[in-house]
Amino acid sequence: MPELLDTTADQVSALGRPRSLWSDAWRDLRRNPVFLVSALVILFLVLISLWPSAITSGNPLACDLAKAQQGSQPGHPFGYDGQGCDVYTRTVYGARTSVTVGVCATLGVALLGSVLGGLAGFFGGAWDAVLSRTTDVFFAIPVVLGGLVLLSVVTSNTVWPVIGFMVLLGWPQISRIARGSVITVQQNDYVQAARALGASNSRVLLRHIAPNAVAPVIVVATIALGTYIALEATLSYLGVGLKPPAVSWGIDISAASPFVRNAPHALLWPSGALAVTVLAFIMLGDAVRDALDPKLR
């Protein structure tokens, strides 16, 4: 009897009705300090991406050569870069570019890869064979080299060519994950029961397979988001991604590299912001993976 009085709310819920994978995952995530810290960092990045003026009143394109390479000053805590631009303001506004590229590229890759891979795994046959050979071709293309070749001919100064390039070369990974997950799920008894009851292919795929096969895609896409942010910075550093006057951490890192001896602060802050952002998304992906993988419970 005393043991029954000490039964926790979670145990009561478990005794009353079985919890779903998603409710169990959310319960584990709320108790994971890695998830909480990374989520807070990402939330802060999203907020300053939407409203950068909330923490800075400066103009990232306003530069004064008379202040070039100067260190920290009142109202300008990060100092000035080689062109006399306020490093703090440019670092804040650079978050918008990184978050936009990362989120849009991840959504595009996840949507395209999930649809193609899911259909290949569900129908099999010639569709599956063609998709498998196509993904092999895309996997053989080095990402950075492909970016140097494809983006070097683009004259647009927006983020969309970079996002399109990432979707073009990023969907095969998600496609293979989705294909394998669909093949595994459709062998379960509840899928076979739905087929026996006369459910159509679209109903089986959308109502029974997709909700139970999407977890691995979410995990891989969350981790890949940080990778896409780092890839945008790399391409911008090499001069084929975003180009001035766009504001990007990669552009600022490239511009500060020649002055690293005289003005290391101009390189430190955008590099640090990039590293923290990528690490936050990777930590978030690891936490989501641990929560959604029953083998790790």
Side-chain angles (χ1 to χ4, degrees):
M1 292 298 293
E3 289 78 3
L4 293 178
L5 295 177
D6 294 334
T7 303
T8 63
D10 289 339
Q11 291 172 325
V12 171
S13 176
L15 292 172
R17 61 182 179 84
R19 292 189 298 266
S20 67
L21 171 65
W22 301 104
S23 61
D24 279 343
W26 175 238
R27 182 194 60 181
D28 293 343
L29 287 173
R30 287 180 299 174
R31 299 175 178 178
N32 189 340
V34 173
F35 170 78
L36 296 177
V37 171
S38 59
L40 288 176
V41 173
I42 293 171
L43 178 61
F44 174 73
L45 290 170
V46 171
L47 290 177
I48 67 173
S49 299
L50 296 175
W51 300 286
S53 58
I55 61 173
T56 179
S57 58
N59 183 351
L61 301 180
C63 305
D64 185 358
L65 285 175
K67 299 180 179 179
Q69 303 183 24
Q70 292 184 9
S72 176
Q73 298 179 6
H76 307 278
F78 293 176
Y80 296 88
D81 62 11
Q83 299 297 322
C85 304
D86 183 26
V87 176
Y88 172 75
T89 301
R90 291 187 63 85
T91 301
V92 171
Y93 275 85
R96 172 181 292 178
T97 300
S98 294
V99 172
T100 300
V101 170
V103 171
C104 293
T106 301
L107 290 176
V109 166
L111 180 61
L112 180 60
S114 297
V115 171
L116 295 179
L119 292 176
F122 183 75
F123 291 107
W127 175 264
D128 188 17
V130 170
L131 183 71
S132 297
R133 301 292 76 78
T134 303
T135 56
D136 290 340
V137 172
F138 277 91
F139 275 125
I141 302 175
V143 176
V144 176
L145 180 59
L148 290 173
V149 173
L150 295 178
L151 294 177
S152 62
V153 298
V154 176
T155 58
S156 174
N157 199 36
T158 65
V159 299
W160 300 112
V162 179
I163 293 173
F165 163 75
M166 293 180 182
V167 174
L168 178 64
L169 292 189
W171 69 267
Q173 180 187 20
I174 297 293
S175 176
R176 285 197 171 181
I177 297 295
R179 172 184 175 275
S181 183
V182 167
I183 291 176
T184 300
V185 170
Q186 70 178 344
Q187 297 174 357
N188 292 334
D189 293 339
Y190 58 84
V191 176
Q192 303 303 323
R195 292 184 185 277
L197 292 174
S200 63
N201 285 336
S202 60
R203 182 178 179 84
V204 171
L205 182 60
L206 297 177
R207 294 291 300 274
H208 299 283
I209 294 180
N212 296 286
V214 73
V217 174
I218 293 177
V219 172
V220 175
T222 305
I223 297 176
L225 201 156
T227 304
Y228 294 139
I229 292 176
L231 178 58
E232 178 274 321
T234 301
L235 294 174
S236 297
Y237 177 87
L238 295 174
V240 297
L242 297 179
K243 304 174 182 64
V247 181
S248 166
W249 289 335
I251 294 175
D252 289 350
I253 293 171
S254 177
S257 297
F259 310 106
V260 65
R261 291 181 178 272
N262 299 326
H265 58 274
L267 179 65
L268 173 64
W269 292 110
S271 300
L274 175 63
V276 170
T277 301
V278 174
L279 180 61
F281 279 106
I282 291 177
M283 291 171 57
L284 180 70
D286 287 340
V288 172
R289 179 200 59 195
D290 294 343
L292 291 178
D293 191 348
K295 298 179 181 178
L296 299 178
R297 297 182 183 278

